[in-house]
Amino acid sequence: KPPFIADGHHRYETALNYRRLRREQAGGGEGALRPYDSVMMLFSSLEDKGLTVLPTHRVLTTALPPVADIKEMLSDSFEFIDCPFQRTQESQVRKEFLKNLRDRGLSGPVFGLAVQHDSHYYLLRLRESDRPGPTEPPRHRLDVSILQQRVVGRLCPTQEEQEAILYTKDDHEALNWVLDGT
């Protein structure tokens, strides 16, 4: 089957570029394998029930429409659950929001949304009728694919906007970037 690189595609591209550069520097054609001709990888079946892919959070750096417009844009596919907070209780609401995000994510695609200058966190739960069925290819059923196609692609329709996205594995860092305007 063709491989689907869920994570590590930048490392893979870098390894290919490094190999090309070193081959050019060596000035020779094909010969014995050199250390730069190989890169370590892990392959796993998408159907493996033991496979867990942890989230990489996206922080959009381009201007977004008002929250009411975002809800209208995405409401055909998502149910919105508001988690309002006062600045003094933000840390407690954040803790509950992240717990809800993880717990609800066990039963289906759920995403979190925070918008600068808005004192709400939002859970976006994919409507049952919009969930990919079991006959869809496994990669179409991945949360990251759903997020890209149904959220990021709509909020950031241009290549330039998508290239301006910041990524982090740390959920608190992502939320702090939004709240602090980083």
Side-chain angles (χ1 to χ4, degrees):
K1 294 181 179 181
F4 173 73
I5 302 175
D7 187 26
H9 56 282
H10 294 104
R11 287 182 289 275
Y12 176 69
E13 290 294 327
T14 299
L16 290 178
N17 288 332
Y18 180 71
R19 179 186 70 177
R20 182 189 47 76
L21 176 69
R22 291 297 305 269
R23 284 182 175 179
E24 287 173 3
Q25 289 173 344
E30 297 297 317
L33 287 177
R34 301 287 182 212
Y36 50 79
D37 287 322
S38 302
V39 64
M40 187 173 2
M41 297 181 163
L42 168 70
F43 286 91
S44 176
S45 171
L46 285 175
E47 292 88 7
D48 185 340
K49 293 192 185 311
L51 176 66
T52 301
V53 179
L54 298 175
T56 299
H57 308 289
R58 287 140 178 83
V59 178
L60 312 180
T61 61
T62 56
L64 291 177
V67 172
D69 293 348
I70 292 173
K71 285 183 174 184
E72 188 175 319
M73 291 170 69
L74 302 178
S75 67
D76 62 327
S77 296
F78 293 94
E79 171 190 349
F80 279 73
I81 302 163
D82 294 7
C83 305
F85 60 85
Q86 302 292 324
R87 194 66 172 168
T88 57
Q89 59 185 177
E90 184 275 334
S91 62
Q92 180 58 35
V93 173
R94 176 189 290 205
K95 183 178 175 182
E96 292 170 22
F97 167 73
L98 293 172
K99 182 180 181 333
N100 265 324
L101 188 59
R102 286 184 182 92
D103 291 348
R104 290 175 186 249
L106 295 174
S107 61
V110 177
F111 306 104
L113 175 68
V115 179
Q116 190 176 22
H117 307 302
D118 185 346
S119 57
H120 291 76
Y121 291 127
Y122 302 93
L123 293 171
L124 286 70
R125 183 170 43 197
L126 187 64
R127 296 183 188 282
E128 191 77 38
S129 59
D130 284 295
R131 293 183 183 179
T135 59
E136 292 283 328
R139 75 175 187 174
H140 291 182
R141 297 190 312 259
L142 291 172
D143 286 2
V144 68
S145 297
I146 295 167
L147 176 66
Q148 180 61 37
Q149 295 301 315
R150 300 193 187 196
V151 178
V152 175
R154 290 181 183 178
L155 297 177
C156 298
T158 69
Q159 184 70 26
E160 181 181 359
E161 290 171 318
Q162 291 190 25
E163 289 173 359
I165 294 174
L166 301 175
Y167 298 89
T168 180
K169 296 276 188 188
D170 186 308
D171 45 14
H172 291 286
E173 182 175 49
L175 292 171
N176 289 339
W177 286 350
V178 172
L179 291 180
D180 299 339
T182 305

